[in-house]
Amino acid sequence: MYENYMREAIKEAKKAERIDEVPIGAVIVKDGIVIARAYNLREKKQLSTAHAEVIAIEKACRKLKTWRLEGCTLYVTLEPCAMCSGAIMLSRIDCVVYGAKDPKGGCIDSCISMYEQSGFNHYPTTISGVLEDECSELLKSFFKNKREIQKKNKQV
């Protein structure tokens, strides 16, 4: 079940990769239907908040005509950062399913466990590691290609 929706998030990540964005994709599901899709657009928009999760949350809010995304599950290819983890809590998303861990910025399990901090009024459930290898490989190959291009440009 989780794998099918994660594959949809991976499709979004591949769209980002095609336009030379870091390949991160997200989908939001409510009642078994994908209601929002998004991918990373930070470079294209030159906007630090243009993460896949934030864009997907904005689309879902417009679609449902509410800021409360109760009953929704967010699928994302990379563990959300602090900003995205906060947006997920504030939008009242019920569950977050992610693929690859982010040891340099993930705020669900890696750098901090934001959803284990006391005092917030909403905590989503989380499921990690869904299609982790595939999600991780997308990122690894993207950055490997970037380094190879950079190396070739230095040699010219």
PDB file of all heavy atoms in Angstrom, residues 1 3 6 15 18 21 29 38 40-41 43-44 53 61 91 96-99 105 109-110 112 124 136 143 150 153 156:
ATOM      1  N   MET A   1       0.817  -1.195   0.000  1.00  0.00           N
ATOM      2  CA  MET A   1       0.000   0.000   0.000  1.00  0.00           C
ATOM      3  C   MET A   1       0.864   1.264   0.000  1.00  0.00           C
ATOM      4  O   MET A   1       0.723   2.110  -0.867  1.00  0.00           O
ATOM      5  CB  MET A   1      -0.927  -0.014   1.207  1.00  0.00           C
ATOM      6  CG  MET A   1      -1.721   1.278   1.350  1.00  0.00           C
ATOM      7  SD  MET A   1      -2.947   1.236   2.644  1.00  0.00           S
ATOM      8  CE  MET A   1      -1.973   1.758   4.032  1.00  0.00           C
ATOM      9  N   GLU A   3       3.927   1.552  -0.725  1.00  0.00           N
ATOM     10  CA  GLU A   3       4.836   1.566  -1.868  1.00  0.00           C
ATOM     11  C   GLU A   3       4.205   2.223  -3.094  1.00  0.00           C
ATOM     12  O   GLU A   3       4.880   2.941  -3.832  1.00  0.00           O
ATOM     13  CB  GLU A   3       5.310   0.146  -2.209  1.00  0.00           C
ATOM     14  CG  GLU A   3       6.256  -0.459  -1.198  1.00  0.00           C
ATOM     15  CD  GLU A   3       5.545  -1.126  -0.012  1.00  0.00           C
ATOM     16  OE1 GLU A   3       4.273  -1.170   0.001  1.00  0.00           O
ATOM     17  OE2 GLU A   3       6.242  -1.584   0.894  1.00  0.00           O
ATOM     18  N   MET A   6       4.351   5.902  -2.637  1.00  0.00           N
ATOM     19  CA  MET A   6       5.748   6.358  -2.682  1.00  0.00           C
ATOM     20  C   MET A   6       6.241   6.361  -4.125  1.00  0.00           C
ATOM     21  O   MET A   6       7.018   7.246  -4.509  1.00  0.00           O
ATOM     22  CB  MET A   6       6.641   5.492  -1.794  1.00  0.00           C
ATOM     23  CG  MET A   6       8.057   6.027  -1.674  1.00  0.00           C
ATOM     24  SD  MET A   6       8.162   7.706  -0.963  1.00  0.00           S
ATOM     25  CE  MET A   6       7.793   7.342   0.753  1.00  0.00           C
ATOM     26  N   LYS A  15      10.648  14.327 -11.945  1.00  0.00           N
ATOM     27  CA  LYS A  15      10.329  15.581 -12.637  1.00  0.00           C
ATOM     28  C   LYS A  15      11.301  16.680 -12.205  1.00  0.00           C
ATOM     29  O   LYS A  15      11.759  17.467 -13.032  1.00  0.00           O
ATOM     30  CB  LYS A  15       8.893  16.017 -12.348  1.00  0.00           C
ATOM     31  CG  LYS A  15       7.834  15.146 -12.970  1.00  0.00           C
ATOM     32  CD  LYS A  15       6.457  15.637 -12.558  1.00  0.00           C
ATOM     33  CE  LYS A  15       5.357  14.706 -13.018  1.00  0.00           C
ATOM     34  NZ  LYS A  15       4.029  15.165 -12.546  1.00  0.00           N
ATOM     35  N   ARG A  18      14.682  16.163 -13.838  1.00  0.00           N
ATOM     36  CA  ARG A  18      14.702  16.542 -15.266  1.00  0.00           C
ATOM     37  C   ARG A  18      14.941  18.037 -15.478  1.00  0.00           C
ATOM     38  O   ARG A  18      15.418  18.437 -16.531  1.00  0.00           O
ATOM     39  CB  ARG A  18      13.413  16.102 -15.959  1.00  0.00           C
ATOM     40  CG  ARG A  18      13.375  14.613 -16.247  1.00  0.00           C
ATOM     41  CD  ARG A  18      12.280  14.231 -17.227  1.00  0.00           C
ATOM     42  NE  ARG A  18      10.937  14.371 -16.697  1.00  0.00           N
ATOM     43  CZ  ARG A  18      10.289  13.452 -15.995  1.00  0.00           C
ATOM     44  NH1 ARG A  18      10.871  12.303 -15.711  1.00  0.00           N
ATOM     45  NH2 ARG A  18       9.068  13.657 -15.589  1.00  0.00           N
ATOM     46  N   GLU A  21      16.734  20.095 -10.618  1.00  0.00           N
ATOM     47  CA  GLU A  21      16.437  20.347  -9.206  1.00  0.00           C
ATOM     48  C   GLU A  21      16.809  19.102  -8.411  1.00  0.00           C
ATOM     49  O   GLU A  21      16.802  17.992  -8.950  1.00  0.00           O
ATOM     50  CB  GLU A  21      14.936  20.619  -9.000  1.00  0.00           C
ATOM     51  CG  GLU A  21      14.440  21.926  -9.525  1.00  0.00           C
ATOM     52  CD  GLU A  21      14.685  23.095  -8.580  1.00  0.00           C
ATOM     53  OE1 GLU A  21      15.200  22.890  -7.467  1.00  0.00           O
ATOM     54  OE2 GLU A  21      14.361  24.222  -8.981  1.00  0.00           O
ATOM     55  N   VAL A  29      -2.287  12.215   0.121  1.00  0.00           N
ATOM     56  CA  VAL A  29      -3.377  11.290  -0.142  1.00  0.00           C
ATOM     57  C   VAL A  29      -4.457  11.474   0.912  1.00  0.00           C
ATOM     58  O   VAL A  29      -4.162  11.580   2.107  1.00  0.00           O
ATOM     59  CB  VAL A  29      -2.861   9.836  -0.125  1.00  0.00           C
ATOM     60  CG1 VAL A  29      -3.994   8.842  -0.301  1.00  0.00           C
ATOM     61  CG2 VAL A  29      -1.782   9.637  -1.186  1.00  0.00           C
ATOM     62  N   ALA A  38       3.785  17.313  -5.858  1.00  0.00           N
ATOM     63  CA  ALA A  38       4.754  18.408  -5.978  1.00  0.00           C
ATOM     64  C   ALA A  38       6.163  17.851  -5.985  1.00  0.00           C
ATOM     65  O   ALA A  38       6.401  16.714  -5.582  1.00  0.00           O
ATOM     66  CB  ALA A  38       4.590  19.398  -4.830  1.00  0.00           C
ATOM     67  N   ASN A  40      10.500  19.403  -5.716  1.00  0.00           N
ATOM     68  CA  ASN A  40      11.387  20.481  -5.307  1.00  0.00           C
ATOM     69  C   ASN A  40      11.532  21.528  -6.420  1.00  0.00           C
ATOM     70  O   ASN A  40      11.762  21.180  -7.569  1.00  0.00           O
ATOM     71  CB  ASN A  40      12.749  19.861  -4.965  1.00  0.00           C
ATOM     72  CG  ASN A  40      13.622  20.761  -4.160  1.00  0.00           C
ATOM     73  OD1 ASN A  40      13.142  21.538  -3.358  1.00  0.00           O
ATOM     74  ND2 ASN A  40      14.924  20.646  -4.353  1.00  0.00           N
ATOM     75  N   LEU A  41      11.412  22.807  -6.072  1.00  0.00           N
ATOM     76  CA  LEU A  41      11.543  23.897  -7.049  1.00  0.00           C
ATOM     77  C   LEU A  41      12.383  25.056  -6.517  1.00  0.00           C
ATOM     78  O   LEU A  41      12.204  26.191  -6.952  1.00  0.00           O
ATOM     79  CB  LEU A  41      10.147  24.418  -7.451  1.00  0.00           C
ATOM     80  CG  LEU A  41       9.327  23.520  -8.360  1.00  0.00           C
ATOM     81  CD1 LEU A  41       7.902  24.037  -8.478  1.00  0.00           C
ATOM     82  CD2 LEU A  41       9.975  23.406  -9.727  1.00  0.00           C
ATOM     83  N   GLU A  43      15.582  25.908  -6.894  1.00  0.00           N
ATOM     84  CA  GLU A  43      16.450  26.572  -7.874  1.00  0.00           C
ATOM     85  C   GLU A  43      15.634  27.345  -8.899  1.00  0.00           C
ATOM     86  O   GLU A  43      15.937  28.491  -9.203  1.00  0.00           O
ATOM     87  CB  GLU A  43      17.360  25.548  -8.569  1.00  0.00           C
ATOM     88  CG  GLU A  43      18.343  24.863  -7.644  1.00  0.00           C
ATOM     89  CD  GLU A  43      19.298  25.811  -6.945  1.00  0.00           C
ATOM     90  OE1 GLU A  43      19.677  26.841  -7.537  1.00  0.00           O
ATOM     91  OE2 GLU A  43      19.674  25.526  -5.802  1.00  0.00           O
ATOM     92  N   LYS A  44      14.616  26.707  -9.421  1.00  0.00           N
ATOM     93  CA  LYS A  44      13.800  27.354 -10.452  1.00  0.00           C
ATOM     94  C   LYS A  44      13.135  28.619  -9.913  1.00  0.00           C
ATOM     95  O   LYS A  44      13.108  29.652 -10.583  1.00  0.00           O
ATOM     96  CB  LYS A  44      12.748  26.386 -10.974  1.00  0.00           C
ATOM     97  CG  LYS A  44      11.921  26.980 -12.088  1.00  0.00           C
ATOM     98  CD  LYS A  44      10.984  25.982 -12.709  1.00  0.00           C
ATOM     99  CE  LYS A  44      10.211  26.734 -13.765  1.00  0.00           C
ATOM    100  NZ  LYS A  44       9.501  26.017 -14.683  1.00  0.00           N
ATOM    101  N   GLU A  53       7.375  19.224  -0.057  1.00  0.00           N
ATOM    102  CA  GLU A  53       6.336  19.079   0.963  1.00  0.00           C
ATOM    103  C   GLU A  53       5.500  20.348   1.103  1.00  0.00           C
ATOM    104  O   GLU A  53       4.269  20.292   1.181  1.00  0.00           O
ATOM    105  CB  GLU A  53       6.948  18.754   2.335  1.00  0.00           C
ATOM    106  CG  GLU A  53       7.775  17.490   2.373  1.00  0.00           C
ATOM    107  CD  GLU A  53       9.266  17.734   2.202  1.00  0.00           C
ATOM    108  OE1 GLU A  53       9.645  18.573   1.355  1.00  0.00           O
ATOM    109  OE2 GLU A  53      10.049  17.088   2.914  1.00  0.00           O
ATOM    110  N   CYS A  61      -4.266  22.252   0.464  1.00  0.00           N
ATOM    111  CA  CYS A  61      -5.117  23.228   1.152  1.00  0.00           C
ATOM    112  C   CYS A  61      -6.057  23.913   0.160  1.00  0.00           C
ATOM    113  O   CYS A  61      -7.252  24.101   0.452  1.00  0.00           O
ATOM    114  CB  CYS A  61      -4.267  24.271   1.876  1.00  0.00           C
ATOM    115  SG  CYS A  61      -3.408  23.642   3.336  1.00  0.00           S
ATOM    116  N   SER A  91      -0.293  21.948   9.582  1.00  0.00           N
ATOM    117  CA  SER A  91      -1.399  21.666   8.663  1.00  0.00           C
ATOM    118  C   SER A  91      -2.252  20.486   9.136  1.00  0.00           C
ATOM    119  O   SER A  91      -3.246  20.151   8.501  1.00  0.00           O
ATOM    120  CB  SER A  91      -0.879  21.411   7.255  1.00  0.00           C
ATOM    121  OG  SER A  91      -0.097  20.245   7.216  1.00  0.00           O
ATOM    122  N   VAL A  96       2.979  10.875   8.075  1.00  0.00           N
ATOM    123  CA  VAL A  96       4.069  11.157   7.138  1.00  0.00           C
ATOM    124  C   VAL A  96       4.761   9.839   6.826  1.00  0.00           C
ATOM    125  O   VAL A  96       5.169   9.120   7.741  1.00  0.00           O
ATOM    126  CB  VAL A  96       5.104  12.132   7.733  1.00  0.00           C
ATOM    127  CG1 VAL A  96       6.241  12.373   6.754  1.00  0.00           C
ATOM    128  CG2 VAL A  96       4.458  13.425   8.149  1.00  0.00           C
ATOM    129  N   VAL A  97       4.890   9.540   5.549  1.00  0.00           N
ATOM    130  CA  VAL A  97       5.605   8.351   5.093  1.00  0.00           C
ATOM    131  C   VAL A  97       6.763   8.853   4.254  1.00  0.00           C
ATOM    132  O   VAL A  97       6.560   9.594   3.299  1.00  0.00           O
ATOM    133  CB  VAL A  97       4.689   7.447   4.240  1.00  0.00           C
ATOM    134  CG1 VAL A  97       5.447   6.217   3.759  1.00  0.00           C
ATOM    135  CG2 VAL A  97       3.436   7.053   5.016  1.00  0.00           C
ATOM    136  N   TYR A  98       7.978   8.494   4.640  1.00  0.00           N
ATOM    137  CA  TYR A  98       9.113   8.953   3.840  1.00  0.00           C
ATOM    138  C   TYR A  98      10.025   7.799   3.465  1.00  0.00           C
ATOM    139  O   TYR A  98      10.009   6.748   4.087  1.00  0.00           O
ATOM    140  CB  TYR A  98       9.876  10.092   4.533  1.00  0.00           C
ATOM    141  CG  TYR A  98      10.704   9.729   5.735  1.00  0.00           C
ATOM    142  CD1 TYR A  98      12.018   9.283   5.577  1.00  0.00           C
ATOM    143  CD2 TYR A  98      10.213   9.848   7.023  1.00  0.00           C
ATOM    144  CE1 TYR A  98      12.800   8.971   6.665  1.00  0.00           C
ATOM    145  CE2 TYR A  98      10.983   9.535   8.118  1.00  0.00           C
ATOM    146  CZ  TYR A  98      12.278   9.098   7.936  1.00  0.00           C
ATOM    147  OH  TYR A  98      13.059   8.781   9.026  1.00  0.00           O
ATOM    148  N   GLY A  99      10.814   8.053   2.419  1.00  0.00           N
ATOM    149  CA  GLY A  99      11.704   7.034   1.887  1.00  0.00           C
ATOM    150  C   GLY A  99      13.068   7.048   2.539  1.00  0.00           C
ATOM    151  O   GLY A  99      13.348   6.271   3.459  1.00  0.00           O
ATOM    152  N   GLY A 105      19.883  16.895   7.538  1.00  0.00           N
ATOM    153  CA  GLY A 105      18.806  17.871   7.702  1.00  0.00           C
ATOM    154  C   GLY A 105      17.472  17.293   8.118  1.00  0.00           C
ATOM    155  O   GLY A 105      16.523  18.034   8.353  1.00  0.00           O
ATOM    156  N   ASP A 109      13.735  11.787  12.310  1.00  0.00           N
ATOM    157  CA  ASP A 109      14.532  10.751  12.956  1.00  0.00           C
ATOM    158  C   ASP A 109      16.031  11.054  12.995  1.00  0.00           C
ATOM    159  O   ASP A 109      16.732  10.501  13.822  1.00  0.00           O
ATOM    160  CB  ASP A 109      14.349   9.406  12.233  1.00  0.00           C
ATOM    161  CG  ASP A 109      12.941   8.869  12.360  1.00  0.00           C
ATOM    162  OD1 ASP A 109      12.417   8.833  13.483  1.00  0.00           O
ATOM    163  OD2 ASP A 109      12.358   8.486  11.325  1.00  0.00           O
ATOM    164  N   SER A 110      16.535  11.875  12.105  1.00  0.00           N
ATOM    165  CA  SER A 110      17.985  11.995  11.917  1.00  0.00           C
ATOM    166  C   SER A 110      18.638  13.049  12.799  1.00  0.00           C
ATOM    167  O   SER A 110      19.299  12.706  13.773  1.00  0.00           O
ATOM    168  CB  SER A 110      18.305  12.244  10.447  1.00  0.00           C
ATOM    169  OG  SER A 110      17.912  11.122   9.673  1.00  0.00           O
ATOM    170  N   ILE A 112      17.143  15.716  14.495  1.00  0.00           N
ATOM    171  CA  ILE A 112      16.317  15.811  15.707  1.00  0.00           C
ATOM    172  C   ILE A 112      15.058  14.994  15.471  1.00  0.00           C
ATOM    173  O   ILE A 112      14.748  14.651  14.336  1.00  0.00           O
ATOM    174  CB  ILE A 112      15.931  17.271  16.092  1.00  0.00           C
ATOM    175  CG1 ILE A 112      15.066  17.916  15.003  1.00  0.00           C
ATOM    176  CG2 ILE A 112      17.136  18.110  16.413  1.00  0.00           C
ATOM    177  CD1 ILE A 112      14.392  19.203  15.437  1.00  0.00           C
ATOM    178  N   PRO A 124       1.911  14.082  13.936  1.00  0.00           N
ATOM    179  CA  PRO A 124       1.562  13.046  12.967  1.00  0.00           C
ATOM    180  C   PRO A 124       2.273  11.738  13.302  1.00  0.00           C
ATOM    181  O   PRO A 124       3.329  11.747  13.931  1.00  0.00           O
ATOM    182  CB  PRO A 124       2.086  13.614  11.643  1.00  0.00           C
ATOM    183  CG  PRO A 124       3.210  14.509  12.041  1.00  0.00           C
ATOM    184  CD  PRO A 124       2.837  15.069  13.385  1.00  0.00           C
ATOM    185  N   SER A 136      16.854   6.851  -2.064  1.00  0.00           N
ATOM    186  CA  SER A 136      18.241   7.217  -1.785  1.00  0.00           C
ATOM    187  C   SER A 136      19.076   7.245  -3.064  1.00  0.00           C
ATOM    188  O   SER A 136      19.884   8.158  -3.266  1.00  0.00           O
ATOM    189  CB  SER A 136      18.826   6.230  -0.769  1.00  0.00           C
ATOM    190  OG  SER A 136      20.139   6.553  -0.465  1.00  0.00           O
ATOM    191  N   PHE A 143      23.604  13.779  -7.216  1.00  0.00           N
ATOM    192  CA  PHE A 143      24.767  14.509  -6.720  1.00  0.00           C
ATOM    193  C   PHE A 143      26.076  13.977  -7.299  1.00  0.00           C
ATOM    194  O   PHE A 143      27.016  14.743  -7.516  1.00  0.00           O
ATOM    195  CB  PHE A 143      24.791  14.534  -5.185  1.00  0.00           C
ATOM    196  CG  PHE A 143      23.747  15.458  -4.632  1.00  0.00           C
ATOM    197  CD1 PHE A 143      22.661  14.963  -3.939  1.00  0.00           C
ATOM    198  CD2 PHE A 143      23.833  16.831  -4.828  1.00  0.00           C
ATOM    199  CE1 PHE A 143      21.687  15.823  -3.434  1.00  0.00           C
ATOM    200  CE2 PHE A 143      22.866  17.694  -4.341  1.00  0.00           C
ATOM    201  CZ  PHE A 143      21.790  17.186  -3.644  1.00  0.00           C
ATOM    202  N   GLN A 150      30.984  19.126 -12.427  1.00  0.00           N
ATOM    203  CA  GLN A 150      31.837  20.142 -11.802  1.00  0.00           C
ATOM    204  C   GLN A 150      33.317  19.834 -12.045  1.00  0.00           C
ATOM    205  O   GLN A 150      34.113  20.718 -12.367  1.00  0.00           O
ATOM    206  CB  GLN A 150      31.536  20.201 -10.295  1.00  0.00           C
ATOM    207  CG  GLN A 150      31.859  21.495  -9.640  1.00  0.00           C
ATOM    208  CD  GLN A 150      31.316  21.510  -8.213  1.00  0.00           C
ATOM    209  OE1 GLN A 150      31.386  20.509  -7.494  1.00  0.00           O
ATOM    210  NE2 GLN A 150      30.766  22.632  -7.814  1.00  0.00           N
ATOM    211  N   ASN A 153      34.229  20.542 -15.669  1.00  0.00           N
ATOM    212  CA  ASN A 153      34.308  21.995 -15.907  1.00  0.00           C
ATOM    213  C   ASN A 153      35.608  22.596 -15.367  1.00  0.00           C
ATOM    214  O   ASN A 153      36.124  23.548 -15.941  1.00  0.00           O
ATOM    215  CB  ASN A 153      33.110  22.706 -15.302  1.00  0.00           C
ATOM    216  CG  ASN A 153      31.827  22.437 -16.082  1.00  0.00           C
ATOM    217  OD1 ASN A 153      31.872  22.028 -17.243  1.00  0.00           O
ATOM    218  ND2 ASN A 153      30.701  22.653 -15.440  1.00  0.00           N
ATOM    219  N   VAL A 156      38.548  21.919 -17.880  1.00  0.00           N
ATOM    220  CA  VAL A 156      38.517  22.613 -19.186  1.00  0.00           C
ATOM    221  C   VAL A 156      39.234  23.938 -19.118  1.00  0.00           C
ATOM    222  O   VAL A 156      39.470  24.596 -18.231  1.00  0.00           O
ATOM    223  CB  VAL A 156      37.050  22.819 -19.642  1.00  0.00           C
ATOM    224  CG1 VAL A 156      36.999  23.682 -20.893  1.00  0.00           C
ATOM    225  CG2 VAL A 156      36.412  21.487 -19.887  1.00  0.00           C
TER     226      VAL A 156
END
